[in-house]
Amino acid sequence: MNADRIKEMAAATLSGGLPFPVIVGNLMDEGVEYYHVDYVRLSFTFYSANGGVVAAPLVLEGLPAVAENVDLAALRLAIVDSQLHGQKYPEFCRRAMMAGVQSYFVYLRGRRALYLGRQGDQHTEWFPGAGRDDG
Protein backbone atom coordinates (compact mmCIF):
# COMPACT_ATOMS: atom_id res chain seq x y z
CA MET A 1 0.00 0.00 0.00
CA ASN A 2 1.22 3.47 -0.88
CA ALA A 3 0.61 5.44 2.33
CA ASP A 4 0.86 8.83 0.60
CA ARG A 5 -1.71 7.85 -2.05
CA ILE A 6 -4.09 6.48 0.58
CA LYS A 7 -3.77 9.68 2.64
CA GLU A 8 -4.54 11.64 -0.55
CA MET A 9 -7.76 9.64 -0.88
CA ALA A 10 -8.67 10.41 2.75
CA ALA A 11 -8.09 14.12 2.07
CA ALA A 12 -10.15 13.92 -1.13
CA THR A 13 -12.97 12.33 0.87
CA LEU A 14 -12.95 15.25 3.31
CA SER A 15 -12.70 17.93 0.63
CA GLY A 16 -15.11 16.34 -1.84
CA GLY A 17 -12.32 16.53 -4.43
CA LEU A 18 -13.22 13.19 -6.03
CA PRO A 19 -16.44 11.21 -6.34
CA PHE A 20 -16.77 8.35 -3.85
CA PRO A 21 -16.68 5.58 -6.52
CA VAL A 22 -13.34 6.98 -7.79
CA ILE A 23 -11.95 7.06 -4.24
CA VAL A 24 -13.06 3.45 -3.67
CA GLY A 25 -11.43 2.35 -6.92
CA ASN A 26 -8.18 4.10 -6.02
CA LEU A 27 -8.17 2.55 -2.54
CA MET A 28 -8.72 -0.91 -4.02
CA ASP A 29 -5.91 -0.29 -6.52
CA GLU A 30 -3.66 0.44 -3.52
CA GLY A 31 -4.60 -2.88 -1.92
CA VAL A 32 -7.02 -1.55 0.70
CA GLU A 33 -9.41 -4.30 1.71
CA TYR A 34 -11.38 -2.33 4.32
CA TYR A 35 -11.21 0.85 6.33
CA HIS A 36 -12.46 2.18 9.65
CA VAL A 37 -13.79 5.68 10.34
CA ASP A 38 -13.66 6.54 14.04
CA TYR A 39 -15.67 9.60 15.09
CA VAL A 40 -14.33 9.41 18.65
CA ARG A 41 -10.65 9.53 17.63
CA LEU A 42 -11.45 11.50 14.45
CA SER A 43 -9.41 9.18 12.27
CA PHE A 44 -9.43 6.95 9.22
CA THR A 45 -7.56 3.63 9.34
CA PHE A 46 -7.03 1.65 6.14
CA TYR A 47 -6.16 -2.08 6.13
CA SER A 48 -4.75 -4.35 3.45
CA ALA A 49 -5.16 -8.12 3.17
CA ASN A 50 -1.43 -8.62 3.88
CA GLY A 51 -1.42 -6.74 7.19
CA GLY A 52 -0.59 -3.23 6.03
CA VAL A 53 -2.16 -0.36 7.97
CA VAL A 54 -2.32 3.35 7.11
CA ALA A 55 -3.87 5.96 9.42
CA ALA A 56 -5.03 9.44 8.45
CA PRO A 57 -6.73 12.20 10.46
CA LEU A 58 -10.39 13.03 10.02
CA VAL A 59 -10.15 16.80 10.35
CA LEU A 60 -13.51 18.56 10.18
CA GLU A 61 -14.64 21.66 12.04
CA GLY A 62 -17.77 21.87 14.17
CA LEU A 63 -18.65 18.20 14.48
CA PRO A 64 -21.22 17.34 17.15
CA ALA A 65 -20.75 14.82 19.93
CA VAL A 66 -21.84 11.29 19.06
CA ALA A 67 -25.43 10.82 20.22
CA GLU A 68 -25.96 8.26 22.98
CA ASN A 69 -28.41 6.11 21.02
CA VAL A 70 -28.60 5.12 17.36
CA ASP A 71 -31.44 6.64 15.36
CA LEU A 72 -31.59 4.19 12.45
CA ALA A 73 -34.12 6.25 10.47
CA ALA A 74 -31.88 9.33 10.66
CA LEU A 75 -28.82 7.28 9.69
CA ARG A 76 -30.60 5.77 6.69
CA LEU A 77 -31.68 9.25 5.53
CA ALA A 78 -28.09 10.47 5.76
CA ILE A 79 -26.88 7.46 3.75
CA VAL A 80 -29.53 7.96 1.05
CA ASP A 81 -28.74 11.66 0.80
CA SER A 82 -25.10 10.78 0.17
CA GLN A 83 -25.83 7.99 -2.32
CA LEU A 84 -28.59 9.67 -4.31
CA HIS A 85 -28.45 13.41 -3.69
CA GLY A 86 -24.75 14.26 -3.65
CA GLN A 87 -24.50 15.14 0.03
CA LYS A 88 -20.90 16.09 0.88
CA TYR A 89 -18.92 13.97 3.34
CA PRO A 90 -18.64 16.58 6.13
CA GLU A 91 -22.44 16.84 6.26
CA PHE A 92 -22.76 13.06 6.23
CA CYS A 93 -20.35 12.86 9.19
CA ARG A 94 -22.32 15.46 11.14
CA ARG A 95 -25.61 13.67 10.50
CA ALA A 96 -24.17 10.21 11.26
CA MET A 97 -22.78 11.41 14.58
CA MET A 98 -26.10 13.03 15.49
CA ALA A 99 -27.73 9.68 14.58
CA GLY A 100 -25.50 7.92 17.13
CA VAL A 101 -22.75 6.48 14.92
CA GLN A 102 -19.48 6.28 16.84
CA SER A 103 -17.60 4.54 14.02
CA TYR A 104 -18.04 2.47 10.91
CA PHE A 105 -16.16 -0.03 8.77
CA VAL A 106 -16.34 -0.10 4.98
CA TYR A 107 -15.56 -3.48 3.43
CA LEU A 108 -14.61 -2.73 -0.18
CA ARG A 109 -14.57 -6.29 -1.50
CA GLY A 110 -17.56 -7.18 0.68
CA ARG A 111 -19.44 -4.15 -0.71
CA ARG A 112 -20.95 -3.09 2.59
CA ALA A 113 -20.55 -0.73 5.52
CA LEU A 114 -21.05 -1.67 9.16
CA TYR A 115 -22.14 1.22 11.40
CA LEU A 116 -21.59 0.98 15.16
CA GLY A 117 -23.25 2.87 18.01
CA ARG A 118 -22.12 3.61 21.54
CA GLN A 119 -24.37 0.91 23.05
CA GLY A 120 -23.20 -1.84 20.69
CA ASP A 121 -25.86 -1.19 18.07
CA GLN A 122 -24.93 -2.33 14.57
CA HIS A 123 -26.35 -1.60 11.15
CA THR A 124 -25.13 -3.14 7.89
CA GLU A 125 -25.65 -1.04 4.78
CA TRP A 126 -24.97 -2.77 1.47
CA PHE A 127 -23.46 -0.80 -1.40
CA PRO A 128 -26.04 0.08 -4.06
CA GLY A 129 -26.61 -3.01 -6.18
CA ALA A 130 -25.00 -5.35 -3.63
CA GLY A 131 -26.71 -7.60 -1.12
CA ARG A 132 -26.54 -10.69 0.96
CA ASP A 133 -26.89 -12.98 -2.05
CA ASP A 134 -23.73 -11.64 -3.73
CA GLY A 135 -21.52 -14.19 -2.00
Side-chain angles (χ1 to χ4, degrees):
M1 291 193 317
N2 180 325
D4 291 334
R5 183 73 172 137
I6 291 167
K7 289 177 181 179
E8 286 175 16
M9 293 303 98
T13 298
L14 296 171
S15 71
L18 291 172
F20 183 67
V22 172
I23 291 170
V24 167
N26 288 338
L27 291 173
M28 291 180 79
D29 289 346
E30 290 300 328
V32 174
E33 186 170 57
Y34 67 98
Y35 64 90
H36 179 230
V37 176
D38 187 331
Y39 289 135
V40 177
R41 293 190 63 221
L42 296 176
S43 67
F44 295 97
T45 308
F46 302 88
Y47 301 88
S48 73
N50 66 2
V53 178
V54 175
L58 193 162
V59 181
L60 294 174
E61 297 290 324
L63 290 174
V66 173
E68 185 174 343
N69 297 303
V70 171
D71 179 342
L72 189 54
L75 174 59
R76 284 186 173 148
L77 282 174
I79 292 167
V80 166
D81 282 346
S82 293
Q83 291 174 339
L84 300 178
H85 305 123
Q87 173 178 243
K88 300 296 183 193
Y89 189 70
E91 180 63 11
F92 171 78
C93 290
R94 185 186 69 75
R95 291 176 67 187
M97 292 170 79
M98 290 173 51
V101 174
Q102 76 171 4
S103 67
Y104 65 94
F105 290 88
V106 176
Y107 298 93
L108 299 176
R109 288 188 317 137
R111 300 177 63 199
R112 71 194 90 179
L114 175 63
Y115 295 90
L116 305 170
R118 290 174 46 194
Q119 310 302 318
D121 297 292
Q122 301 175 24
H123 170 67
T124 300
E125 185 70 29
W126 294 89
F127 287 12
R132 289 184 177 97
D133 296 330
D134 283 327

